[in-house]
Amino acid sequence: MGQDQSSAVRVLCVTTKGDVEIVVQPDWSPVGAARFLQLVDDGFYKDIPLFRCVDNFLCQFGAPLRRNDARSYSPIRDDLRMPALRNFRRGYMSFAGNGPNSRSTHMFITLGDNIEALGTMPWETPFGFVTADSMQKTVSRFTTSYGDIAPWGAGPDPQRIEAADGAAYLKSNFPLLDYITSCSRR
């Protein structure tokens, strides 16, 4: 990606389609990078569905299935926006949100370049990127056939994913969905 990687932290996520190598750039989004690494270190990424994968747009994840050992995470404040990172590139990772200071566990990988709808909200600041090799070998194979979430498509409902019967809801209605099975620092 051509950026200075002196403070970069590498993370490896195992998915149902293969490994995904992520380069976290704390200088880009210090608060977002710290939360992502906290989630990695806490073991949050255990059977996390990639529930909103839309070709040439994004692949969203972070809606946890109910587990006995699950933690709850309070929202974090937004990072300052860096104009040089406004035009999201393919592979950039950012938190998803629904208002200022609403970032918690939902995030996305950009599946296209310079998507006008991304990077316009204060919570959309990239904190890192998926390596080109992982984009080609793994991310490009994630299931996109379900399309976007309602009301823009027929994909899974994020609130149903987090409900008590979320795992059963996904297995019966979206059996081809991909999952992150684990993540760890390299």
Side-chain angles (χ1 to χ4, degrees):
M1 294 267 162
Q3 290 82 10
D4 174 32
Q5 296 184 18
S6 59
S7 64
V9 178
R10 293 191 174 267
V11 170
L12 182 70
C13 292
V14 178
T15 76
T16 50
K17 290 282 171 59
D19 294 347
V20 175
E21 187 172 1
I22 298 165
V23 179
V24 179
Q25 295 283 16
D27 295 345
W28 291 4
S29 179
V31 178
R35 170 53 63 89
F36 175 69
L37 292 172
Q38 176 191 18
L39 295 170
V40 168
D41 293 343
D42 286 354
F44 175 82
Y45 296 103
K46 179 180 174 187
D47 300 324
I48 298 294
L50 296 155
F51 68 88
R52 183 186 184 196
C53 293
V54 182
D55 199 30
N56 292 313
F57 182 43
L58 59 75
C59 185
Q60 186 172 342
F61 57 96
L65 297 172
R66 290 267 172 109
R67 307 189 321 228
N68 291 337
D69 64 343
R71 267 185 71 177
S72 142
Y73 294 89
S74 299
I76 57 173
R77 68 177 167 78
D78 295 332
D79 282 291
L80 295 176
R81 295 172 68 192
M82 298 179 71
L85 297 173
R86 160 55 185 96
N87 294 321
F88 278 38
R89 292 182 179 179
R90 185 174 190 268
Y92 274 16
M93 291 185 63
S94 174
F95 278 85
N98 59 3
N101 303 310
S102 64
R103 301 180 298 169
S104 182
T105 61
H106 285 246
M107 57 195 69
F108 61 86
I109 301 168
T110 307
L111 300 182
D113 278 315
N114 297 320
I115 299 168
E116 289 300 316
L118 299 178
T120 60
M121 298 299 167
W123 54 87
E124 291 176 346
T125 55
F127 62 82
F129 60 90
V130 174
T131 65
D133 191 50
S134 289
M135 287 298 292
Q136 179 185 1
K137 291 181 179 174
T138 305
V139 176
S140 67
R141 296 175 43 232
F142 288 162
T143 300
T144 57
S145 59
Y146 297 120
D148 210 339
I149 58 175
W152 307 284
D157 176 349
Q159 292 179 336
R160 295 261 332 254
I161 295 170
E162 296 183 43
D165 67 340
Y169 161 71
L170 291 177
K171 285 186 192 303
S172 67
N173 295 291
F174 305 96
L176 302 177
L177 245 140
D178 292 301
Y179 291 80
I180 296 172
T181 58
S182 67
C183 291
S184 59
R185 293 188 196 222
R186 298 204 63 179

